[in-house]
Amino acid sequence: MELKAGLSGPLIPGVLFGGLNAATWNNDGFYDNSYTGNDTGGAEGSGVSGDLLWNITDAFTARVRAEYTNDEFSQSPYSAVAPTETVMVPASALGTVISPAVTSVLAVRSIPDGDDLQVTNWANPRTGGDYPGADREVARATLTLDYDFGPVALKSLTHVDNAFDDDTVKSTFGNTYNSGIRVVPFPPPFTFVLPLNQTPIKPDERSYGVRVGYRFGG
Amino acid sequence: MKHGSHRAARLFGLGAAGLAVLALSTESWAVDEIIVTTRKREENLQEVPVVVNAITAEEIAQLGIKDTEDVARHDSGVIFDKGFAAQDTRITIRGLAPSRGRQNVAVLVDDIDIANQAMQTNGGGLLINPRLFDAERIEVVKGPQNALYGRTAFAGAINYITRKPGDVFEGRVALDVGSEN
C-alpha cells in the first residue's frame, strides 16, 4: 500500500511559491518464510518534502528543497538449493590445490524456478520471530540558485544531507548442505565454504492491485 | 466488367488505405514534446545528442514507479541487482557492472549526486534506491557522462527531477494497493 499527497502553489503571486509532499508506504513482502510463517521481503516507511521557490528577479531564482524519509526493510527472502550432483575433484589437484581429504564436492547444475523454492530464513532464537531487517533514515536539503544572463546561464548547487543506514546482516539461513561442499585449498586454518548452493529470491510480483490518482486545481 | 469492378474496388481500397495511412501518420506525428534537462538546460528529448530515456510524471503514476528498482524494470539496458542485505545493491547500465568498489552509475536528485559506496559489498548501498514520492520526471542517461555528472557517472546516470511549485494552486492524492505485496 502506498498513499501519497502533495500541494503546491503561489505564496506571493509571481514571487514566492511553495510545495509540500508526503507519503507513507507499507508492503508486507511477497514471500512467506517457511520457518516462521511470516511475510518477508517487505518495507514500510514514510517521507515528507518541502519546497520554496523564490523569483528574486526575472533572471535570478532561488529554490530550497528539504526532504526526510525513514524506511524499515524486512529481511530479503533466501532459499537454500539442494545439491543436484557430486563433482569429483581432479586427481591432479589433490594434494596441491585441494586437500587430499576432499575428493569430491556437491554442486548445483541449475537453479530451480522460484516457485519451486522455499524461503528458509531461520527464526531468531531469542524471539521466535524473524530477525530484524534494515533501517534507513535520510534527511537532505538543497539550495539551487539559477542566474540567467541571456547568452550565459549559471547554476549553483548546494547540498547537505545526513543519512543513517543500519543494515547489519543479523540472520542465519536454513541450509543443511554447506557441510558437504567444504573445500580446503590450503592446510587449516584457511578453510572457506563455496556458496554454490545459495541464491537470493527477488520479490517483484503481486497477484492484483489497484492504483488510483486524483489531481485537482492546476 | 467483372475485372473492371475488381479494379475499381482495388483502387477504392487502395485509396481508403492511403487515407487511413495518411490519417495514422498525421496522428503519429502529434507526439507531445518532452523537455529534458540532461545537459543542464531545457531541450527537446528528440534533439538531445545523448541516449536518454525520459519517464514523465504521467508514466511514473501509471507504472507505479517508486524507486530505482522500478526504473530498471521499465528501462531496457538498466539492471538493478540486489543481494540478501538491503545495502547490497548495484545498478548496471549497458552491462558495465560495478563488480568492485564504488557504484559506476550516478544517481542524482535535482543534479545532486546521491550515490555512495557500500561498506561491505560492491555497488551503491541503500542510498542509490531512494523512495520517489515527488518526482516529476526521471531521466536515464546511458553511456559515460562524467563531464555532466561527475566521477560516478562512468556507465551512465539516473537523474530524478522533483516537482517544482508553480504559479497555480494544485493538489494531488494517489493510492496504490495490492495483494501479496
Side-chain angles (χ1 to χ4, degrees):
Chain A
M1 183 280 295
E2 181 187 62
L3 176 64
K4 57 185 178 182
L7 199 63
S8 64
L11 302 176
I12 302 173
V15 179
L16 188 64
F17 313 93
L20 193 64
N21 297 280
T24 180
W25 53 91
N26 185 354
N27 304 324
D28 294 334
F30 182 75
Y31 286 94
D32 297 324
N33 185 356
S34 63
Y35 284 7
T36 64
N38 297 329
D39 293 329
T40 188
E44 63 177 322
S46 56
V48 62
S49 71
D51 221 313
L52 276 179
L53 176 65
W54 182 16
N55 281 350
I56 301 168
T57 68
D58 288 344
F60 180 26
T61 63
R63 182 189 181 204
V64 177
R65 178 180 179 273
E67 175 190 325
Y68 172 81
T69 55
N70 191 352
D71 296 85
E72 288 182 17
F73 302 87
S74 63
Q75 285 189 329
S76 298
Y78 203 90
S79 183
V81 180
T84 55
E85 61 187 270
T86 301
V87 178
M88 303 305 293
V89 176
S92 59
L94 291 175
T96 54
V97 180
I98 296 178
S99 167
V102 180
T103 56
S104 64
V105 294
L106 298 176
V108 176
R109 176 65 68 182
S110 62
I111 304 295
D113 289 339
D115 292 342
D116 299 329
L117 295 173
Q118 278 204 320
V119 176
T120 51
N121 295 8
W122 266 347
N124 185 343
R126 293 179 179 168
T127 64
D130 288 298
Y131 280 91
D135 298 333
R136 175 177 64 179
E137 189 174 4
V138 181
R140 63 175 78 252
T142 306
L143 170 65
T144 306
L145 302 175
D146 279 303
Y147 309 82
D148 187 355
F149 297 110
V152 177
L154 297 178
K155 174 177 277 193
S156 165
L157 297 168
T158 306
H159 181 75
V160 59
D161 63 28
N162 183 22
F164 168 78
D165 166 18
D166 176 11
D167 189 34
T168 309
V169 176
K170 310 170 186 76
S171 58
T172 52
F173 317 113
N175 186 347
T176 57
Y177 310 112
N178 269 347
S179 59
I181 58 165
R182 199 170 288 273
V183 174
V184 186
F186 301 103
F190 300 104
T191 303
F192 63 91
V193 173
L194 290 178
L196 290 177
N197 57 352
Q198 296 175 343
T199 179
I201 302 172
K202 296 168 183 174
D204 57 357
E205 298 174 28
R206 59 181 181 177
S207 297
Y208 57 87
V210 177
R211 188 174 295 135
V212 293
Y214 180 66
R215 182 176 172 186
F216 54 93
Chain B
M1 187 65 193
K2 202 174 176 182
H3 290 290
S5 63
H6 277 191
R7 189 175 298 133
R10 274 193 221 112
L11 283 174
F12 177 78
L14 282 172
L19 284 175
V21 168
L22 188 64
L24 278 174
S25 63
T26 305
E27 280 184 14
S28 66
W29 284 108
V31 176
D32 288 340
E33 188 179 72
I34 297 175
I35 300 296
V36 295
T37 52
T38 309
R39 298 197 300 166
K40 313 282 187 188
R41 54 180 178 266
E42 293 186 352
E43 295 173 295
N44 186 345
L45 174 62
Q46 294 183 326
E47 295 169 2
V48 179
V50 290
V51 180
V52 187
N53 179 19
I55 304 173
T56 62
E58 191 178 22
E59 290 170 326
I60 293 170
Q62 288 176 349
L63 299 172
I65 292 175
K66 298 177 178 62
D67 51 25
T68 307
E69 196 171 359
D70 287 341
V71 172
R73 277 191 198 122
H74 293 100
D75 191 316
S76 60
V78 180
I79 296 170
F80 187 83
D81 175 38
K82 194 164 69 173
F84 178 75
Q87 59 88 35
D88 184 12
T89 60
R90 282 159 296 284
I91 303 170
T92 300
I93 290 184
R94 288 178 167 175
L96 288 171
S99 56
R100 288 275 181 183
R102 188 180 170 86
Q103 177 67 51
N104 61 8
V105 173
V107 179
L108 307 108
V109 176
D110 294 328
D111 293 328
I112 299 291
D113 188 358
I114 62 167
N116 65 326
Q117 181 172 352
M119 290 289 288
Q120 299 166 318
T121 56
N122 55 305
L126 260 177
L127 299 183
I128 63 169
N129 193 21
R131 190 78 180 192
L132 308 172
F133 56 91
D134 62 347
E136 184 177 68
R137 189 174 69 253
I138 302 168
E139 295 177 4
V140 181
V141 192
K142 296 168 186 175
Q145 304 297 336
N146 301 91
L148 285 171
Y149 297 123
R151 65 168 179 161
T152 313
F154 181 74
I158 299 175
N159 197 3
Y160 299 117
I161 293 94
T162 59
R163 191 185 306 276
K164 266 185 186 178
D167 55 0
V168 178
F169 271 114
E170 66 173 15
R172 298 163 299 279
V173 180
L175 176 67
D176 186 355
V177 293
S179 72
E180 298 183 66
N181 67 341

